[in-house]
C-alpha cells in the first residue's frame, strides 16, 4: 500500500507551534508569495497582464472580475489589508512589477480603516521609489478620499484617477492598450 499526504497549517496559528516552524521548507514556496508574506501581504500570481493592489479579499475578487469583464486579465491577487503604509505599498509595487507580464497596475482601495490620504501618500512615494514605468490607475473611496485624490493629482506623476471600480477598469485597460 502506498500513501501520500499534504498538510497545510494556518499561518496565523504558527506562533503556537514553534516546533512546526522549524519544519518549514521555503524552497517549496513561490518566491513572490514568500516575499509578500514578509510584509503581511496576501499575494497570488495569476496569468494576466494587469497588476492589482487592493485592500480586502472581496474587493480583490470584484476588481479581478471587472478587469476580465473589460477584456483583459489580472496578473495577481494582492491584498494590502487594512494597515497599509508606505513600506507595505512599496513592497506591493515591487512584487507586482517583478512579474514581467504586468503591463499596468490598478489600485482599488476602500479607505474605511485605512484613510485614503495615507494610502495616497504611500502610492506616490512607492511609485517614485520604484520608478514606475507602466500605467497606473487609482480608485480611492472612503475616509479622507478628497485629500487622497488631491495628493495623487498634485504628485507630478502620471497617475490616472478613477471615480468608481467600473471607471477604473475601463481606464486601466485603455491605458495598457494605448501603451502597447
Amino acid at each position: 500500500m502506498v500513501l501520500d499526504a499534504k498538510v497545510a497549517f494556518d499561518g496565523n496559528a504558527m506562533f503556537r507551534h514553534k516546533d512546526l516552524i522549524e519544519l518549514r521548507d521555503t524552497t517549496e514556496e513561490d518566491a513572490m508569495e514568500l516575499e509578500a508574506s514578509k510584509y503581511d501581504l496576501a499575494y497570488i500570481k495569476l496569468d494576466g497582464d494587469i497588476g492589482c493592489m487592493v485592500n480586502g479579499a472581496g474587493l480583490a475578487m470584484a476588481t479581478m472580475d471587472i478587469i476580465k469583464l473589460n477584456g483583459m486579465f489580472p496578473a495577481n491577487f494582492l491584498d494590502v489589508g487594512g494597515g497599509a503604509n508606505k513600506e507595505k505599498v512599496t513592497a506591493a509595487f515591487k512584487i507586482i512589477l517583478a512579474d514581467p507580464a504586468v503591463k499596468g497596475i490598478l489600485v482599488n482601495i476602500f479607505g474605511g480603516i485605512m484613510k485614503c490620504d495615507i494610502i495616497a501618500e504611500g502610492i506616490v512615494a512607492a511609485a517614485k521609489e520604484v520608478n514606475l514605468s507602466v500605467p497606473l490607475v487609482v480608485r480611492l473611496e472612503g475616509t479622507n478620499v478628497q485629500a487622497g485624490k488631491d495628493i495623487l493629482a498634485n504628485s507630478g506623476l502620471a497617475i490616472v484617477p478613477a471615480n468608481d471600480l467600473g471607471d477604473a477598469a475601463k481606464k486601466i485597460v485603455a491605458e495598457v492598450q494605448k501603451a502597447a
Side-chain angles (χ1 to χ4, degrees), residues 28-49:
E28 292 292 321
E29 297 179 44
D30 179 82
M32 297 318 295
E33 289 179 23
L34 192 59
E35 181 67 16
S37 70
K38 294 176 186 175
Y39 296 93
D40 197 27
L41 301 169
Y43 174 83
I44 299 170
K45 166 92 173 83
L46 301 172
D47 293 331
D49 37 23

Side-chain angles (χ1 to χ4, degrees), residues 9-139:
F9 296 94
D10 181 352
N12 293 320
M14 291 307 286
F15 72 93
R16 293 185 184 114
H17 302 282
K18 294 186 184 349
D19 56 322
L20 296 178
I21 292 172
E22 296 172 13
L23 300 176
R24 184 176 182 186
D25 182 1
T26 57
T27 63
E28 292 292 321
E29 297 179 44
D30 179 82
M32 297 318 295
E33 289 179 23
L34 192 59
E35 181 67 16
S37 70
K38 294 176 186 175
Y39 296 93
D40 197 27
L41 301 169
Y43 174 83
I44 299 170
K45 166 92 173 83
L46 301 172
D47 293 331
D49 37 23
I50 305 291
C52 302
M53 183 190 315
V54 300
N55 65 331
L59 196 58
M61 299 304 289
T63 302
M64 293 187 303
D65 286 345
I66 202 156
I67 288 170
K68 288 181 188 177
L69 185 65
N70 282 273
M72 294 192 92
F73 294 91
N76 63 277
F77 170 106
L78 194 149
D79 180 0
V80 296
N85 56 30
K86 178 188 175 271
E87 291 75 27
K88 278 180 94 167
V89 173
T90 302
F93 270 111
K94 287 178 179 177
I95 290 165
I96 290 170
L97 292 169
D99 180 352
V102 170
K103 307 290 185 253
I105 299 174
L106 172 55
V107 177
N108 186 18
I109 300 291
F110 178 77
I113 297 170
M114 187 76 241
K115 295 178 181 170
C116 291
D117 55 336
I118 303 298
I119 196 77
E121 289 172 356
I123 290 167
V124 169
K128 287 178 179 177
E129 184 173 325
V130 301
N131 197 20
L132 191 64
S133 60
V134 298
L136 172 62
V137 174
V138 178
R139 182 263 184 162

Side-chain angles (χ1 to χ4, degrees), residues 145-159:
V145 67
Q146 192 53 55
K149 287 180 177 183
D150 292 344
I151 290 167
L152 296 175
N154 297 321
S155 69
L157 299 171
I159 298 172

